[in-house]
Amino acid sequence: GAGVSQSPSNKVTEKGKDVELRCDPISGHTALYWYRQSLGQGLEFLIYFQGNSAPDKSGLPSDRFSAERTGGSVSTLTIQRTQQEDSAVYLCASSASPNHEQFFGPGTRLTVL
Amino acid sequence: QKEVEQDPGPLSVPEGAIVSLNCTYSNSAFQYFMWYRQYSRKGPELLMYTYSSGNKEDGRFTAQVDKSSKYISLFIRDSQPSDSATYLCAMSDTMEYGNKLVFGAGTILRVKS
């Protein structure tokens, strides 16, 4: 079956612009995570969705970052007024439930000029 | 100081060598330990999962956890060029609600044929 997909695979934007990154989780997976992977850094947790519960936003680095998950499936991560330090690979993962293996998508490589 | 420390490498070994990859951590609450493999331009994939202290073997891979020393290892026997990737350790204090993983920075491994 299809794995986690993310789009776009690459995004180049100018400082100050807004960007939207999309994640399509594995069908039926109730848990969805966003991580950020900067050069030379490990994956940094950003936000977690579980079913219809309120998301855990504790990892979002600033109020310029937001995410939503529509209909318990597709998720969009939005970064407003992008800064150069936002340049990173943004990874999405989904799991069948919170205590099951997380399956990662290929990521979106964001470059802010 | 980071919660999880991992030498970024790169680690370069000849084909057939035994590889040892390690992470140290500071949070004594961590109980669940994972190793992920990440090929270039791909998302991480789960290799090994261990709960608490002890060893776990799966084919050419062995994971060790020493909670008293806050130290985990991944051994790869008979390394192959196809093992060339970045290896990320990850850990968590719970596998229940909001399984937010804390990752090391990753070690780049290169196996030369």
Side-chain angles (χ1 to χ4, degrees), chain B residues 45-58:
Chain B
E45 56 178 336
L46 183 65
L47 262 184
M48 299 285 285
Y49 162 77
T50 310
Y51 169 69
S52 194
S53 286
N55 294 357
K56 186 173 184 178
E57 187 173 324
D58 184 1

Side-chain angles (χ1 to χ4, degrees), chain B residues 14-15 17 21 32 37 49 53-54 67 77 82 87 91 106 109 111:
Chain B
E15 183 176 355
L21 304 166
Y32 301 89
R37 178 175 61 196
Y49 162 77
S53 286
K67 289 188 68 179
R77 291 182 298 280
S82 58
Y87 289 79
M91 44 200 82
L109 172 66
V111 181

Side-chain angles (χ1 to χ4, degrees), chain B residues 20 47 74 93 103 106:
Chain B
S20 173
L47 262 184
L74 177 71
D93 59 357
F103 283 83

Side-chain angles (χ1 to χ4, degrees), chain A residues 89-110:
Chain A
V89 176
Y90 290 82
L91 289 157
C92 173
S94 71
S95 65
S97 70
N99 59 350
H100 279 77
E101 176 184 352
Q102 294 181 31
F103 292 87
F104 284 83
T108 293
R109 184 174 299 271
L110 175 66

